[in-house]
Every structure is written in structure tokens, then in C-alpha cells.
Amino acid sequence: PDKHCSRRTDVMGNGAGSLILVWCTLLYGGQAEYGYGRKCYYEYETVYETVYDTKYEKECETRYSTECHKDYDVIYDTEYRKKCKPNYVESCHTFYVKKLDRHCDTVYDKRCHTEYETKYDTKYEKKCHVEHKEHCNGYGYHRKCHVRPDEYCEEVPVTVPYKVPRDHCHDVPIEKCRPVPVEVPQEKCRRIPQYKCYEEPHKVLRKVPRRVCNEVPYEHCHKVPVKVPVKIPKKVSHEVCEEQHHGYHHPGGYGLEVG
């Protein structure tokens, strides 16, 4: 038999791809056989292939450069100038006044407080873990295997803290006072002026230049290649055929034939 086909292209979905419909009729001696035909069409699907593109990203680091400038140190020189002024001399005499003075003694009071000291004890706890192992029975073709979980346990030492009370005592000084009569000396003075001359020092400012250098940070950048994944669409087709049974058809086929 001869195969006579015609096809039509239809757009499927949201423009994601094209569907090509192909109608075929089997011909025997140039005539269509009654009740027999085959419809075939190609289906296209979009797959994505991942490729890697190279892009360059900016990478920066901090560097330092030395910058200098002129600064000044301020120093002071001493100059002496003659100056005279009255110097007052005090002339005093002593007399006594009775007053109550505060006399204090120190006594000690014992005070205690409890502090807790942390100590550690070792206990043992049971810790388990599960391992999956393969167990087999039989030999040759009759050998059967399966994975079974096995639990393994062991005693693990654990450090446990606990508190131990300790009493701490110390003597606290306490001041106890009482009034005591005393004679307090006092002075009564008067000022007698006496003129005196002397060399008075004066500070004179002077600037001394000096060079000052500092480390100044700046940003140094360069480009670094980075691999970036990119998805590229690719159309893949496959043929789908269905058997059709119809009445008599003309050699051009039936249904979707396009000239």
C-alpha cells in the first residue's frame, strides 16, 4: 500500500510551541481502502538546557596610603621680669577655747554570710543510636537480603554540677563615738605689710614646625569572573499516530488535509 499524507500546523497553549497534525491514508493500487486510515501528528515540548555564562563582579578591598602635612608644636620659653608687691607678714598669738570634742573607738562585729560553691559529679547516662545493616539468608539464587535497623547503646559519662553551701565570717569595724571636753588652741593674727621685689617668670609661646604623616584608607577594586547558570529553551518533537476507521475517502485523505 502507498501512504498519502497531508498536514496542518496548529498553535498549542499560550504560544509555547507548535503542534503539527499529519493525516495519512493508506492507498492500495492508488485507491483508498474502505474503513481504514491512520492519523499521525508531531507533538513538540520545550525542555531547558543549563549552560554557564561568565560574568564579572566587582570585588573591593581596603588599602592604605601615607599622606603627610606640616603641623606645629607649641612650646613655651620662660622669661623673667622684675616685679614688686607688698608682702604681708602675719603676727599672731595663741589662746585656748574649751569645746566638746568627738572621741571615737573602733570595735569589731562578727558577721557571716553563706556562699555556694559549685562542684561537679560524674554520672552515666544511656545513649543509643540506630545503624542500618544488611542481613542476608540463603545462597545463590535463593539468597535474600534486607536492611534492618540495629540499635546500639552505651553508658556515657556526664558531668553534673551541684551547689555546696559555705559559711564565710569576717569582722566588720564599727566606729563608736562619745563627746570629750578639750581645750582647743586658736590663733588671732593681724597682717603687717612688707614690700618685696623679685624676678617673676613669664611664659612666652613659640611654634616649632614638624611633619605629621597618617595612613589614609582607600578602596581598591578589581573584577572577578563568576560562573552564572543560564537556562536555554530547546524544542523536542515525537510522532503520535492513531488508527482511524471511516467510509470511502478520496485519495487526498480525510479531515485535516491542507493543499
Side-chain angles (χ1 to χ4, degrees):
D2 296 328
K3 185 178 182 181
H4 179 75
C5 302
S6 62
R7 70 179 186 176
R8 185 182 72 188
T9 302
D10 291 336
V11 177
M12 304 296 292
N14 297 322
S18 299
L19 175 65
I20 300 177
L21 299 179
V22 180
W23 286 79
C24 298
T25 304
L26 295 178
L27 304 179
Y28 293 84
Q31 298 294 326
E33 190 73 9
Y34 177 78
Y36 181 80
R38 195 180 189 196
K39 181 178 74 172
C40 299
Y41 60 89
Y42 289 94
E43 288 184 347
Y44 287 83
E45 63 176 333
T46 301
V47 296
Y48 292 87
E49 181 179 357
T50 301
V51 298
Y52 290 88
D53 192 9
T54 300
K55 292 186 177 181
Y56 291 87
E57 294 184 354
K58 186 179 179 182
E59 186 176 276
C60 298
E61 63 178 353
T62 301
R63 294 186 178 181
Y64 295 88
S65 63
T66 303
E67 293 186 2
C68 300
H69 65 278
K70 182 186 287 186
D71 201 354
Y72 293 90
D73 288 332
V74 176
I75 63 174
Y76 294 90
D77 295 330
T78 303
E79 291 183 355
Y80 291 92
R81 300 173 187 172
K82 186 177 180 180
K83 187 175 182 181
C84 295
K85 67 177 183 178
N87 183 26
Y88 291 90
V89 179
E90 288 189 346
S91 177
C92 302
H93 69 278
T94 303
F95 63 96
Y96 294 88
V97 177
K98 288 186 178 181
K99 290 185 177 180
L100 291 177
D101 192 13
R102 189 167 176 258
H103 181 74
C104 298
D105 295 321
T106 301
V107 296
Y108 293 90
D109 185 20
K110 185 176 182 180
R111 294 184 183 179
C112 299
H113 68 279
T114 302
E115 293 183 357
Y116 291 89
E117 180 182 353
T118 302
K119 290 193 174 183
Y120 298 89
D121 195 8
T122 301
K123 294 184 179 181
Y124 290 86
E125 293 182 357
K126 183 179 180 181
K127 288 193 177 180
C128 302
H129 67 279
V130 177
E131 293 184 3
H132 292 79
K133 291 187 177 181
E134 186 179 44
H135 297 270
C136 300
N137 295 319
Y139 299 92
Y141 292 103
H142 299 288
R143 182 179 176 86
K144 294 183 178 180
C145 298
H146 64 280
V147 177
R148 184 178 66 194
D150 293 333
E151 186 179 39
Y152 296 90
C153 299
E154 60 180 349
E155 295 291 329
V156 178
V158 178
T159 302
V160 179
Y162 64 95
K163 299 288 186 178
V164 178
R166 302 288 185 190
D167 289 333
H168 294 272
C169 298
H170 61 281
D171 292 331
V172 178
I174 299 175
E175 189 178 53
K176 291 187 176 182
C177 300
R178 67 183 187 278
V180 176
V182 294
E183 288 187 350
V184 180
Q186 291 186 353
E187 283 188 336
K188 187 175 183 180
C189 302
R190 63 189 183 92
R191 301 177 67 192
I192 300 173
Q194 292 180 355
Y195 288 92
K196 185 178 182 180
C197 295
Y198 58 92
E199 296 289 331
E200 184 179 50
H202 291 272
K203 298 293 184 182
V204 179
L205 183 145
R206 182 163 58 93
K207 290 185 177 181
V208 178
R210 65 182 175 90
R211 190 182 183 197
V212 178
C213 296
N214 295 313
E215 294 292 326
V216 180
Y218 68 93
E219 191 178 58
H220 175 75
C221 300
H222 61 281
K223 291 185 177 181
V224 178
V226 177
K227 294 292 184 180
V228 179
V230 180
K231 291 186 178 292
I232 298 179
K234 182 180 179 182
K235 288 186 177 181
V236 179
S237 66
H238 60 275
E239 184 180 15
V240 179
C241 295
E242 298 177 356
E243 297 294 335
Q244 301 290 322
H245 296 279
H246 308 285
Y248 177 77
H249 305 287
H250 59 80
Y254 176 79
L256 296 176
E257 178 179 2
V258 180

